[in-house]
Amino acid sequence: EDGGDGDFGVVLETRPKTKRPPLYKVMLLNDDYTPMEFVVHVLERFFGLNHAQAFEIMLTVHKKGLAVVGVFSFEVAETKVAQVMDFARRHQHPLQCTMEKE
Ligand code: TYC
């Protein structure tokens, strides 16, 4: 590092560090058994969507197999997944909700 020229190889910051925390996509997965109305209710209740938005996302999941329902910090995403999974389990529906780093 020190070539005798007084350069100790200190790397100077050229750019300010503005590292944002990673975001996580929360996704709903399709299945053959969970009633459509139940999925719409889940989207309204846990993701604050209005009825039209909830119905639209439910239909996307039904047709495409999955859809992103929201993007959150790790903690919030984890909580949403747990709430949906618990609610579905309590109602004995096989609905699956997962999260993935963006
Ligand atoms: N495919 C389900 C049905 O036909 C509806 C459904 C939609 C299930 C979205 C899960 O995440 C889901 N009753």
Side-chain angles (χ1 to χ4, degrees), residues 23 26 29 41 46 58 60 73 75 80 87 89 91:
L23 291 174
V26 171
L29 276 56
H41 179 71
F46 298 111
M58 180 281 296
T60 301
S73 68
E75 263 209 312
K80 302 275 183 205
F87 191 66
R89 188 193 52 74
H91 289 84

Side-chain angles (χ1 to χ4, degrees), residues 8-22:
F8 284 81
V10 176
V11 178
L12 299 172
E13 292 294 336
T14 55
R15 222 172 5 148
K17 277 185 194 153
T18 54
K19 246 197 329 198
R20 296 165 301 280

Side-chain angles (χ1 to χ4, degrees), residues 30-63:
N30 189 36
D31 66 74
D32 292 338
Y33 306 102
T34 305
M36 290 185 170
E37 320 81 69
F38 183 81
V39 178
V40 171
H41 179 71
V42 161
L43 291 169
E44 291 173 332
R45 180 173 179 140
F46 298 111
F47 296 93
L49 302 178
N50 67 38
H51 193 77
Q53 295 168 326
F55 196 88
E56 192 174 300
I57 291 183
M58 180 281 296
L59 265 193
T60 301
V61 178
H62 177 70
K63 288 193 273 193

